[in-house]
Amino acid sequence: MLLGCAGMSVVALLVQVIALEHTQLALLIYPAAFLCSVSLLALVRRRRLQLAGSVFLIFLWAAITLGALTYGGIRSPSAGGHILIVIIATLLFSGRLVLMFVALSLATLAGILAVEELGYLPERLTPDTPEVAFIAHFIHLFSAGFFLYLAVKNLQDARLRARQGASKAAELLREATAAKNYADNILASMAESLIVLDPRGTIVTVNKASLDLLGYTPELLLGKNFTLVLPDFGALATDAEPPVGAHEPVERSYRNAEGRPVPVLFSHARLPEAQGERGGSVCVASDITQLKHAENSLREAKQIAEEASLAKSRFLANMSHELRTPLNAVIGYAEMLLEEAEERQIASSADEVRKIQFAGKHLLGLISDILDLSKIEAGRMDIHLETFDVADMIDTVLGTVGPMIAKNGNQISISCPPSIGFIHADLTKIRQILLNLLSNAAKFTDKGSIRLSVSRLLQGGTQTIQFLIADTGIGMTQGQVTQLFQAFSQGDSSTSRRYGGTGLGLAITKAFADMLGGTIEVQSKLGAGTVFVVRLPFVNPRDLSGSKRSTALPPEIADAARAAAARAGLIAARPGGEGPPRGA
C-alpha cells in the first residue's frame, strides 16, 4: 500500500508539472507524500505497522483537508478523499480505531462546511480549470480503486485462508478422532489395569481391564478419589510425588467392588506438565492373584522338599554305625581268611579273599563319602582342630594314594618347604581334601606326571596355606568345570563305566574347604591336564595359648563352618551333565 502511495505521488507530480502552469503547491505536497511513504515503509520493516498506518492516515487527512480548503471547499473533489481514509483504516485497523477515523472524517467535512458558510475559506491556490478538476478526480478515482482493490483482495485472501483453515481443521479433527480411537482401542485391549488421575488424585480415565479387575462400572469410578481403589494410596513417597515416566513396580492391594483385596503389581508415574500446570498421573497394575497362589504353593512344596531332604540326611547320618559295622566285620573276616590262606599257601583262595577285601573297602569308602555328605547337609559335620606337622601329613597321604598313582604308571613330585612346619587346623579334613584331589589326578592320568606343591601366602593381610595339585591327565571342558563340585554329577555314562566313582569326592572337598574358611579353584584344558588350588587359613600354633590349642576355633573358620552347613541344598543339587566331569 505504501509503495502504491509513493508511486502515485510521483505520477501526480509529473502530471501536474507537465500539464499545468501553476505547480507550486504540487511541488510541495507530492514530494512530501513520497518522502512520507518511504519513511513509513521503514517503520513497517521494523514491524511498527499500526504506528506507520496511523501516521499515514493523519498525513492523508491533512492533505485532503488542505486540498478541500484551497480548492472549492465542501464542493472540492478533494473532499471525497475522506472515503480513502475510511477504506485504509478498515484495511489496517479494527474496532475503535476505524470508528475514530470515520468520526474524524465526518467532523472534518462539517468543519469545511462551516468555514465556507462563514466566508473564511482561504484564497484558492489552484486555478479552477477542467484539467485540474480532471487530475483531481483521476487521483481520487485511482486511489479509491487501488485501495478498494486491496480491500477486496484482502477479503478474498481472508476467505481463502478461512476455507483452507476449515479444511485443515477438518483434517486435524479427523486425525485427532482417529488418534483418539486408536488410543481408546489400545487402552481397551490392554491386559493391565490403567487408571489416570488428575493432580488431586481424582480418577479421570479407566480402561476395560480396570473395570473387569475391580467389578465397577465407569460411572462408579470416574470422579471418585483413587483411595476408593487403593485404600493406602499416599503411604509411599512416590504416591505424592511420583517420578515422570515408569518406575519399579511394587506389590500393592486394590479393593474391588465387593470390598475384597486384589493383589497387584502397581506402578505409578507422573504425566508431563502442560503450560505451567502440574499434570496428573497414571497408575498401571497387573493382577498377580494367580502368581501369589503359585508362589504360596511353591513355598509349601519347597518346605516339604527341604524337610524330606533333611529327614533323609538325618537318617543317613544316624545310620553311620549300622552301615559301617557289618562292613567292618566283612573286611575283618576277609583279612583273617587272607592271613590263613597265606599261611597255608593257598594261592587261589588268597586271590578270591583279596577280591572280597578290596570290594568291602571300596564299598566302605563309598558309604563313608555318602555319610560325610549327609552329615554336611544335616549340619552335623563338626570341625576338630589340632596341631600337626604338614610334612608328616603329606607323607601319610602319599602312603595311601601312592599305589593308585603307581598303578597307572604316573610319576609324582612333591614340593613342601621345611619352613611350612606345624599348623593348627582340622587334620582329617585337610588330609581328606588332598586324598580326594590326588586320587582324582591318579585316576584320570595315564603314564603322566602329578605335582603336589605346598606354600604359604599372605592375602589381604591374612596368612594362608596353599596346596596345588597339577596333573597331565585328560582335562575338562569349560562346561564340565562349571558343574565340577556338584554332588552325584557324572557327565555321561562312559566316564562312570571307564573310571568309576560316584561324583561325591569333589563335592565333599569343596564343602570341607568352605567349612575351613578356605577356597578351591580349578583350571583345566581338555587333553592338557588339570590344576586344583586349595587355599586355607594358616593358624600358627605358636600364636595360640595352651588353653586354646585343643578347642579354639578362629572366627573366620567358625563362620565358614556355619555358612557351609546352611548351604546344604547347594551340595545336594543334581544338575544335568554336559561332559565327563571328574569326581572321586
Side-chain angles (χ1 to χ4, degrees):
M1 183 179 67
L2 290 174
L3 288 175
C5 290
M8 286 188 294
S9 299
V10 174
V11 172
L13 177 62
L14 292 176
V15 170
Q16 291 205 6
V17 170
I18 295 172
L20 303 176
E21 296 179 358
H22 303 282
T23 59
Q24 294 86 356
L25 187 60
L27 292 175
L28 175 64
I29 295 176
Y30 294 116
F34 176 79
L35 293 175
C36 181
S37 299
V38 173
S39 301
L40 295 178
L41 277 174
L43 287 176
V44 172
R45 288 290 183 89
R46 296 184 179 181
R47 301 183 184 276
R48 307 293 295 274
L49 181 61
Q50 286 196 346
L51 177 60
S54 300
V55 173
F56 174 75
L57 287 177
I58 291 173
F59 175 80
L60 183 60
W61 170 82
I64 291 172
T65 303
L66 181 60
L69 290 175
T70 58
Y71 181 70
I74 195 65
R75 290 180 293 275
S76 172
S78 297
H82 283 283
I83 191 64
L84 293 176
I85 296 176
V86 176
I87 294 173
I88 296 173
T90 305
L91 290 175
L92 294 178
F93 310 118
S94 60
R96 294 181 180 180
L97 285 176
V98 175
L99 294 177
M100 185 184 71
F101 281 104
V102 170
L104 177 63
S105 297
L106 291 175
T108 301
L109 292 175
I112 293 173
L113 177 61
V115 169
E116 185 175 354
E117 291 291 335
L118 295 174
Y120 293 133
L121 280 177
E123 184 180 352
R124 183 174 298 186
L125 299 178
T126 305
D128 188 9
T129 63
E131 292 83 0
V132 173
F134 171 77
I135 291 174
H137 288 299
F138 175 81
I139 292 174
H140 294 159
L141 183 61
F142 181 81
S143 300
F146 175 73
F147 289 116
L148 285 174
Y149 165 76
L150 291 179
V152 173
K153 183 71 167 57
N154 285 341
L155 290 175
Q156 291 176 343
D157 291 343
R159 184 176 63 178
L160 179 60
R161 287 193 299 270
R163 289 178 178 176
Q164 292 176 346
S167 301
K168 189 172 183 179
E171 182 180 356
L172 292 176
L173 180 60
R174 287 194 297 271
E175 292 178 356
T177 303
K180 181 180 182 301
N181 293 335
Y182 183 71
D184 290 342
N185 291 334
I186 292 177
L187 294 179
S189 63
M190 284 181 61
E192 291 79 10
S193 165
L194 185 141
I195 300 177
V196 181
L197 311 178
D198 66 8
R200 296 181 299 276
T202 303
I203 300 173
V204 295
T205 301
V206 292
N207 67 342
K208 184 177 181 299
S210 301
L211 302 176
D212 294 341
L213 175 67
L214 301 172
Y216 282 104
T217 61
E219 295 76 15
L220 295 176
L221 283 181
L222 296 178
K224 301 297 192 301
N225 194 276
F226 190 53
T227 53
L228 177 66
V229 174
L230 187 61
D232 64 343
F233 184 68
L236 299 182
T238 54
D239 290 346
E241 289 293 335
V244 176
H247 66 93
E248 288 296 325
V250 294
E251 288 190 18
R252 305 287 287 271
S253 290
Y254 276 2
R255 184 170 60 191
N256 63 12
E258 299 176 357
R260 290 186 286 108
V262 179
V264 296
L265 203 59
F266 178 79
S267 179
H268 184 212
R270 187 171 73 252
L271 295 173
E273 298 179 358
Q275 297 180 353
E277 296 182 358
R278 181 184 173 188
S281 56
V282 59
C283 304
V284 179
S286 301
D287 185 8
I288 57 173
T289 303
Q290 297 299 325
L291 291 178
K292 297 298 288 185
H293 290 332
E295 181 182 344
N296 293 333
S297 300
L298 288 175
R299 188 179 292 111
E300 294 175 0
K302 180 176 180 292
Q303 183 177 358
I304 294 173
E306 289 176 348
E307 292 176 355
S309 177
L310 185 60
K312 178 264 299 181
S313 299
R314 287 174 177 171
F315 170 77
L316 290 177
N318 291 330
M319 289 296 292
S320 172
H321 179 72
E322 286 74 6
L323 290 173
R324 285 176 173 170
T325 299
L327 273 176
N328 287 327
V330 171
I331 294 171
Y333 281 117
E335 290 178 351
M336 293 171 59
L337 291 174
L338 181 60
E339 291 176 359
E340 184 176 352
E342 290 177 347
E343 289 177 358
R344 296 183 180 183
Q345 297 182 351
I346 307 175
S348 58
S349 297
D351 291 338
E352 298 299 329
V353 172
R354 285 193 185 94
K355 293 179 182 179
I356 296 174
Q357 184 187 37
F358 175 79
K361 288 182 177 181
H362 180 67
L363 182 58
L364 182 61
L366 296 180
I367 293 176
S368 296
D369 286 345
I370 294 175
L371 293 175
D372 286 342
L373 188 63
S374 299
K375 283 185 177 182
I376 294 171
E377 291 179 343
R380 298 180 59 181
M381 177 63 71
D382 298 325
I383 294 178
H384 302 281
L385 299 179
E386 57 183 300
T387 298
F388 59 91
D389 188 351
V390 176
D392 289 345
M393 178 199 65
I394 297 297
D395 291 339
T396 302
V397 170
L398 290 179
T400 303
V401 79
M404 181 183 296
I405 295 175
K407 178 181 177 181
N408 289 344
N410 297 313
Q411 300 292 327
I412 185 169
S413 60
I414 307 296
S415 174
C416 182
S419 59
I420 299 294
F422 287 82
I423 184 174
H424 192 71
D426 191 319
L427 171 62
T428 302
K429 290 179 177 56
I430 295 178
R431 183 168 54 202
Q432 188 64 40
I433 289 173
L434 296 180
L435 281 172
N436 288 341
L437 295 178
L438 288 172
S439 62
N440 255 20
K443 183 190 301 183
F444 294 100
T445 304
D446 188 21
K447 296 181 177 60
S449 62
I450 299 173
R451 176 167 58 95
L452 171 61
S453 176
V454 186
S455 59
R456 284 175 58 181
L457 302 174
L458 184 64
Q459 286 187 331
T462 303
Q463 288 283 345
T464 61
I465 183 169
Q466 174 178 286
F467 300 93
L468 186 146
I469 298 93
D471 63 61
T472 59
I474 62 174
M476 293 173 286
T477 65
Q478 188 59 38
Q480 294 164 356
V481 170
T482 57
Q483 62 176 15
L484 189 62
F485 298 108
Q486 297 171 353
F488 302 103
S489 62
Q490 290 286 349
D492 53 34
S493 58
S494 62
T495 302
S496 179
R497 287 195 304 268
R498 180 178 177 183
Y499 297 103
T502 59
L504 295 177
L506 290 179
I508 295 173
T509 299
K510 178 69 166 61
F512 283 174
D514 289 342
M515 293 178 67
L516 296 176
T519 61
I520 182 169
E521 300 174 358
V522 58
Q523 296 179 357
S524 185
K525 186 177 180 181
L526 190 63
T530 304
V531 177
F532 286 93
V533 179
V534 180
R535 297 187 182 91
L536 302 173
F538 181 86
V539 180
N540 195 328
R542 297 177 182 177
D543 298 334
L544 300 174
S545 63
S547 60
K548 295 180 179 180
R549 186 161 299 178
S550 60
T551 60
L553 196 63
E556 62 272 13
I557 297 180
D559 293 341
R562 285 191 291 269
R567 288 196 299 269
L570 175 65
I571 299 173
R574 179 187 288 271
E578 178 182 334
R582 299 168 50 163

